[in-house]
Amino acid sequence: MKQQEVAMLILQRSEGGGQRWPLDRDLIRIGRSPDCEIILPERVVSREHAFIIRRADGYYLYDKNSKNGTYVNGEPVVDGHLLQDGDEIQIALRFRLAFVDAGATAPLTIDLPAGSETVGLHLDDTRRTVAIHGQELDPPLSVAQYRLLKTLVRAKGAVVSRQEVVRVVWPDADSEGVTEQAIDALVRRLRERLAELDPHHQYIITVRGHGFRFENPPARPSHS
């Protein structure tokens, strides 16, 4: 099996950021014990803190009665949690691991016309990073921000409805429980983050009464 066909966990922040572990076994243990498949050597992490079981329908994360808890997207894991592409796992609120599902590792790129000096906007799912004109956004986007941007980019200029935004960004939430203000706040914050790298272009356009769409940046003319 090729590595890109295997789901993986990627260390997002903390020492060793960018380290990745393929989930190529039926049982993956996470903890500070050297016997674990994923070793996080900090005292706040229990010896066997959490574990992931691979089943036919996906990867399930469990907390193993750890002292400082296991979280997914900020919510504590009580029972088994079926991991979704883009989920952020927090171990003892110290380590953050991004879950990248199998088949979701190909980068998305918005390319501009040939001869342009810019390389456009680039999303790398394996690292959950965003680059604009070759410059990477640091710190990375939040899970919700990245999910929203990825959905808009994949739509290739088509309008994404607010209902679709809720479904993609908050898959476990009751659609009626996500307010218009929450959606607008997420879009506003994402615009602010993208403006850190390109303040001259509005990447996310609001289509009143319909939703949002992604707009490619204009090509930068080459200098002769």
Side-chain angles (χ1 to χ4, degrees):
M1 181 179 289
K2 297 180 181 179
Q3 181 166 328
Q4 60 262 36
E5 297 175 346
V6 178
M8 66 178 67
L9 292 185
I10 303 171
L11 188 60
Q12 291 295 301
R13 303 179 183 89
S14 179
E15 296 179 4
Q19 186 175 355
R20 59 193 64 192
W21 297 270
L23 304 182
D24 53 2
R25 303 184 184 185
D26 291 336
L27 173 65
I28 300 288
R29 296 166 297 172
I30 305 171
R32 76 170 192 269
S33 168
D35 294 329
C36 291
E37 285 70 36
I38 298 177
I39 303 171
L40 303 175
E42 292 279 354
R43 291 194 62 81
V44 294
V45 178
S46 299
R47 288 186 58 80
E48 289 195 8
H49 194 103
F51 59 96
I52 295 173
I53 293 179
R54 180 173 60 182
R55 295 177 177 156
D57 60 338
Y59 296 82
Y60 286 80
L61 172 69
Y62 295 86
D63 180 76
K64 196 171 182 181
N65 297 318
S66 64
K67 180 179 179 180
N68 293 310
T70 303
Y71 303 80
V72 174
N73 303 330
E75 296 295 326
V77 174
V78 179
D79 299 315
H81 176 90
L82 176 59
L83 292 168
Q84 304 293 326
D85 181 48
D87 277 350
E88 183 175 78
I89 301 169
Q90 295 171 285
I91 301 296
L93 298 178
R94 169 67 175 84
F95 292 93
R96 297 174 184 269
L97 305 165
F99 174 75
V100 179
D101 205 354
T105 57
L108 294 171
T109 305
I110 300 298
D111 291 318
L112 299 180
S116 169
E117 289 182 348
T118 181
V119 295
L121 182 142
H122 179 88
L123 304 184
D124 186 344
D125 266 357
T126 62
R127 298 169 54 230
R128 211 185 75 208
T129 57
V130 178
I132 298 177
H133 307 325
Q135 184 178 357
E136 190 171 294
L137 191 61
D138 186 30
L141 296 177
S142 69
V143 171
Q145 292 164 2
Y146 188 86
R147 283 177 175 172
L148 173 58
L149 180 59
K150 180 178 175 179
T151 300
L152 293 172
V153 169
R154 280 184 165 173
K156 298 181 178 179
V159 175
V160 177
S161 69
R162 287 175 174 265
Q163 291 80 6
E164 179 68 6
V165 169
V166 173
R167 187 189 70 79
V168 171
V169 176
W170 296 283
D172 298 324
D174 181 350
S175 60
E176 296 182 356
V178 179
T179 65
E180 297 284 320
Q181 290 79 5
I183 298 172
D184 290 336
L186 175 63
V187 171
R188 182 173 62 252
R189 182 56 182 151
L190 177 56
R191 283 176 176 146
E192 292 172 350
R193 293 303 318 277
L194 297 179
E196 293 175 17
L197 295 183
D198 187 359
H200 305 296
H201 180 71
Q202 183 74 277
Y203 285 84
I204 303 173
I205 305 299
T206 299
V207 182
R208 294 191 181 279
H210 297 280
F212 309 94
R213 65 178 178 85
F214 180 87
E215 184 168 289
N216 291 341
R220 292 177 176 176
S222 58
H223 297 287
S224 56

